[in-house]
Amino acid sequence: MLQELRQSQLTAAGRARLRQRVTVEHCLAKIEQWQGDQARYLGLRKNLFDLRRMAVVHNLHVLAQLWARGSSLIQTSDDLSTSSTGLAL
């Protein structure tokens, strides 16, 4: 699998996928940094809610940074699914 990933990095499409993957992994790492590596609650439902809550907090942090920079990268909700702004979806 690692060899396949290395080969895909050699193409333009592979590098584009890698950039998207890095953005998503960075978001997840930030959420893990805030949340910790252990479940806070007993039960899947409460922990899933906690994860989604942290994703919302992360998105608000990203939007605040973009707003502070005066960036024109703030998009409508239709464009967020293909965004490269670093929002956790």
Side-chain angles (χ1 to χ4, degrees):
M1 181 170 173
L2 184 58
Q3 292 174 350
E4 293 173 9
L5 289 173
R6 296 271 185 221
Q7 288 296 324
S8 69
Q9 289 177 358
L10 300 176
T11 65
R15 286 190 298 276
R17 282 194 305 270
L18 181 63
R19 281 191 296 275
Q20 288 177 343
R21 181 178 173 175
V22 167
T23 303
V24 170
E25 287 179 356
H26 180 76
C27 294
L28 293 175
K30 192 60 147 174
I31 290 172
E32 182 185 6
Q33 181 184 10
W34 287 335
Q35 195 174 21
D37 59 351
Q38 291 186 345
R40 183 174 299 209
Y41 304 106
L42 291 176
L44 179 65
R45 186 175 178 190
K46 290 181 182 179
N47 284 302
L48 182 60
F49 176 77
D50 191 43
L51 173 65
R52 289 178 177 161
R53 180 182 58 86
M54 290 305 300
V56 168
V57 170
H58 179 269
N59 288 343
L60 291 173
H61 276 270
V62 170
L63 288 174
Q65 289 174 352
L66 291 174
W67 186 279
R69 290 183 203 156
S71 177
S72 62
L73 292 175
I74 300 176
Q75 300 171 345
T76 63
S77 61
D78 296 336
D79 297 334
L80 288 179
S81 62
T82 61
S83 174
S84 63
T85 59
L87 294 174
L89 299 176

